[in-house]
Amino acid sequence: MNIVTPFFQQCAQTPEAIAFAEEDQTLTYADFKSRIEKIAAFLQAQKVQNQCIAIVLDRGINAASAIYGVLSAGAIYLPLDIKNPATRLNFIIQDAQPSYIIGQGKAPEWLDKAELWLDIDVLLCTTAENITLAAVDPSALAAILYTSGSTGNPKGVALSHQALGNFSTWAGQTFAINNQDRIASLAPFHFDLSIFDLFTSLACGASVYFLPSRLSLSPSRLTAWLAEKQISSWYTVPSLLSFIALKGALETIPLPHLKRILFAGEVFPTQHLIKLANLLPEAELYNLYGPTETNVCCYWLVDRTRLNIEHTIPIGLPACNAQLSIDADTGELQVNSLNNFSGYWQQAKLQALSPETYPTGDKVSLNQYGEYDYHGRLDRMLKCSGYRVEPAEIEQCINQLEHIESSAVIGIKDTTSGQRPAAVVTLVADASLGEAIKPLRQLLVPYMQPCKFIVVDSLPMLSNGKTDYQAIQDLFKT
């Protein structure tokens, strides 16, 4: 079944209900359906079924319309982060080789393949009535989400209609989402948290309210917005919730409509979670866990009586009917789930993976309650403000700078972001650190920018010639 089928079924039942609200604009289910059909009609005429369509639009009604239009045509949506550097965007486009790129207005100057550009405003001016929703096999790809890659380049996680649908159905049932819910949406569409906002919400008849990005820097105004919009559900990252718990004026701004908060993407500092739990005693809090390749495979309904500042919280019990196992030698969590991705999208084709069980790279154990506890990464991957970051990609950017000889990147703890990248570098003769790293502002997105730099004469090495990352970690402790 096509992942957007439940929306069309819901639209037939509640066509006049609000589907999306963005700033002062609201869109009913019927209005949204009309937008979808116009985009889908054009794409179906181009025979794009099973082809990749990139979307270069900021989170909001236009981007949601494009995503649903692409899926309704039987194509695969590839959401791009418009805040990424041009080099990264063009790399992803070159690697994915989309048939079209949907944006707004004229093609941007940074785009190497301007001939593929489609202006969404033009698409929405076309005429379309009663399109036939594309029938797809459950295993057909629905989305490609590019994440930081261990090879130094981004890689596309390919997700099927089955994977999206399995999570969407589970989330709707588990969290009892219904047509009275108002869901706050802040997750970028290239981030897997957005699957809940985009698909679970509309399948259940709920209304999605796009949280203005500017409010994420003003926690008290964000809290006031949640109250004004009478938000009942919100799925976001712990770093932002920590910010709100500390500075969101929750003592003076009541949120009586807020039923549940879901969080994922990084470890929630327990002291901040305790504060949030105390400030929102009526709201259910859920810790959701899973890499992009599995979406959510574990979840834990926060038990306020068990919160202890000296312990991290559990990732909980299996979610989405996942079958979980722990490698006896390494303690690595392995996941067999209908959520699991189909493989990596590289060089315009799917690199399918087998077997079906996905090794997460995360070390876990079972606690006395039969729940899974998380003990960190087995490899070097970082979780920064909810984003998965491979240090190799940052190192590659640093090493290409004119005045840098070599570099190594590690993660250091941060109370708000979970982790932040930090770098050790060696400079060419007579170079200054400030001038050497200045170009990184254009090469790396903010959450990938190292927060600290240390200059050394040479990188510490192990006896086998590999970089000694433990020694580098120790440099930042002194």
Side-chain angles (χ1 to χ4, degrees):
M1 182 177 72
N2 194 314
I3 182 60
V4 301
T5 299
F7 160 77
F8 285 95
Q9 295 170 341
Q10 184 63 47
C11 184
Q13 298 175 35
T14 58
E16 299 308 313
I18 293 175
F20 290 106
E22 181 180 7
E23 299 288 1
D24 297 328
Q25 181 184 6
T26 59
L27 212 65
T28 67
Y29 274 70
D31 293 335
F32 187 56
K33 177 174 177 285
S34 176
R35 292 169 67 98
I36 294 168
E37 289 175 337
K38 291 176 180 180
I39 297 169
F42 174 85
L43 294 175
Q44 284 181 336
Q46 313 309 311
K47 303 185 186 307
V48 298
Q49 184 144 358
N50 297 321
Q51 296 178 25
C52 172
I53 309 294
I55 297 172
V56 189
L57 292 165
D58 205 0
R59 173 184 56 88
I61 288 174
N62 277 345
S65 301
I67 288 170
Y68 267 74
V70 167
L71 290 167
S72 297
I76 310 160
Y77 80 93
L78 165 61
L80 297 179
D81 184 356
I82 63 174
K83 298 180 181 65
N84 272 188
T87 51
R88 196 170 197 262
L89 290 171
N90 276 310
F91 173 87
I92 293 173
I93 290 170
Q94 182 60 38
D95 185 60
Q97 295 185 31
S99 298
Y100 291 100
I101 302 168
I102 301 177
Q104 189 165 31
K106 294 182 179 179
E109 292 183 1
W110 57 260
L111 181 60
D112 291 340
K113 294 189 174 184
E115 68 278 6
L116 303 181
W117 187 260
L118 296 175
D119 181 0
I120 191 168
D121 291 332
V122 174
L123 293 177
L124 292 174
C125 288
T126 59
T127 301
E129 293 183 2
N130 298 320
I131 66 157
T132 300
L133 179 64
V136 296
D137 187 274
S139 64
L141 297 186
I144 300 171
L145 306 182
Y146 269 79
T147 68
S148 189
S150 59
T151 61
N153 290 315
K155 59 183 178 181
V157 177
L159 301 167
S160 67
H161 285 264
Q162 174 180 266
L164 300 188
N166 190 61
F167 167 75
S168 177
T169 300
W170 173 85
Q173 294 172 349
T174 301
F175 307 120
I177 305 300
N178 60 45
N179 59 12
Q180 300 301 308
D181 274 300
R182 294 185 172 197
I183 294 172
S185 176
L186 183 60
F189 288 163
H190 59 274
F191 195 11
D192 57 357
L193 270 65
S194 66
I195 295 170
F196 175 83
D197 300 345
L198 282 168
F199 303 113
T200 303
S201 56
L202 299 192
C204 297
S207 302
V208 177
Y209 286 71
F210 288 113
L211 202 163
S213 298
R214 63 182 180 276
L215 298 186
S216 62
L217 302 176
S218 178
S220 60
R221 291 175 61 204
L222 193 159
T223 302
W225 183 91
L226 294 172
E228 176 193 349
K229 302 301 181 184
Q230 300 181 8
I231 296 301
S232 63
S233 303
W234 188 21
Y235 187 18
T236 189
V237 294
S239 54
L240 186 55
L241 293 173
S242 295
F243 197 27
I244 292 173
L246 296 173
K247 299 183 178 181
L250 287 171
E251 299 90 342
T252 58
I253 304 176
L255 297 174
H257 297 91
L258 191 59
K259 298 178 182 178
R260 62 191 73 83
I261 294 178
L262 321 177
F263 55 87
E266 59 198 343
V267 176
F268 203 142
T270 308
Q271 68 271 28
H272 297 162
L273 178 58
I274 291 172
K275 186 172 181 64
L276 184 70
N278 290 336
L279 289 168
L280 296 173
E282 301 303 319
E284 291 184 335
L285 307 174
Y286 290 90
N287 182 23
L288 274 55
Y289 159 86
T292 303
E293 285 86 350
T294 71
N295 202 322
V296 174
C297 61
C298 273
Y299 78 114
W300 187 62
L301 171 59
V302 173
D303 182 346
R304 287 167 165 82
T305 66
R306 287 173 52 193
L307 294 177
N308 185 324
I309 197 169
E310 297 181 358
H311 301 291
T312 57
I313 63 173
I315 57 175
L317 301 171
C320 305
N321 298 312
Q323 296 178 356
L324 308 181
S325 59
I326 302 176
D327 185 275
D329 295 324
T330 64
E332 181 180 25
L333 178 65
Q334 303 188 55
V335 182
N336 187 325
S337 170
L338 293 178
N339 284 10
N340 282 13
F341 76 138
S342 302
Y344 293 109
W345 186 267
Q346 295 175 300
Q347 298 179 347
K349 60 183 180 180
L350 179 66
Q351 309 291 333
L353 296 181
S354 60
E356 295 178 355
T357 300
Y358 176 73
T360 62
D362 289 336
K363 186 175 182 178
V364 300
S365 65
L366 285 171
N367 62 26
Q368 60 181 314
Y369 301 97
E371 303 160 341
Y372 289 86
D373 285 337
Y374 173 78
H375 303 295
R377 294 292 302 168
L378 290 168
D379 56 19
R380 297 178 56 214
M381 189 183 297
L382 311 180
K383 283 290 186 71
C384 306
S385 297
Y387 291 93
R388 187 173 73 175
V389 174
E390 284 282 2
E393 186 176 354
I394 302 175
E395 290 169 353
Q396 185 184 54
C397 286
I398 295 175
N399 292 340
Q400 72 184 28
L401 301 180
E402 181 180 358
H403 300 294
I404 299 290
E405 284 187 342
S406 60
S407 70
V409 173
I410 53 92
I412 59 177
K413 289 184 178 179
D414 183 88
T415 55
T416 58
S417 301
Q419 286 179 301
R420 295 283 299 279
V424 169
V425 298
T426 61
L427 303 175
V428 299
D430 301 322
S432 71
L433 177 64
E435 285 300 312
I437 64 176
K438 190 175 181 179
L440 286 180
R441 297 173 187 171
Q442 282 72 49
L443 295 174
L444 293 172
V445 292
Y447 63 85
M448 295 177 72
Q449 299 274 353
C451 64
K452 292 184 180 180
F453 287 85
I454 293 177
V455 178
V456 295
D457 293 331
S458 61
L459 297 182
M461 296 289 179
L462 296 168
S463 58
N464 61 6
K466 295 184 179 181
T467 303
D468 187 348
Y469 285 100
Q470 184 57 57
I472 291 171
Q473 195 88 46
D474 293 340
L475 291 175
F476 288 93
K477 297 177 181 179
T478 59

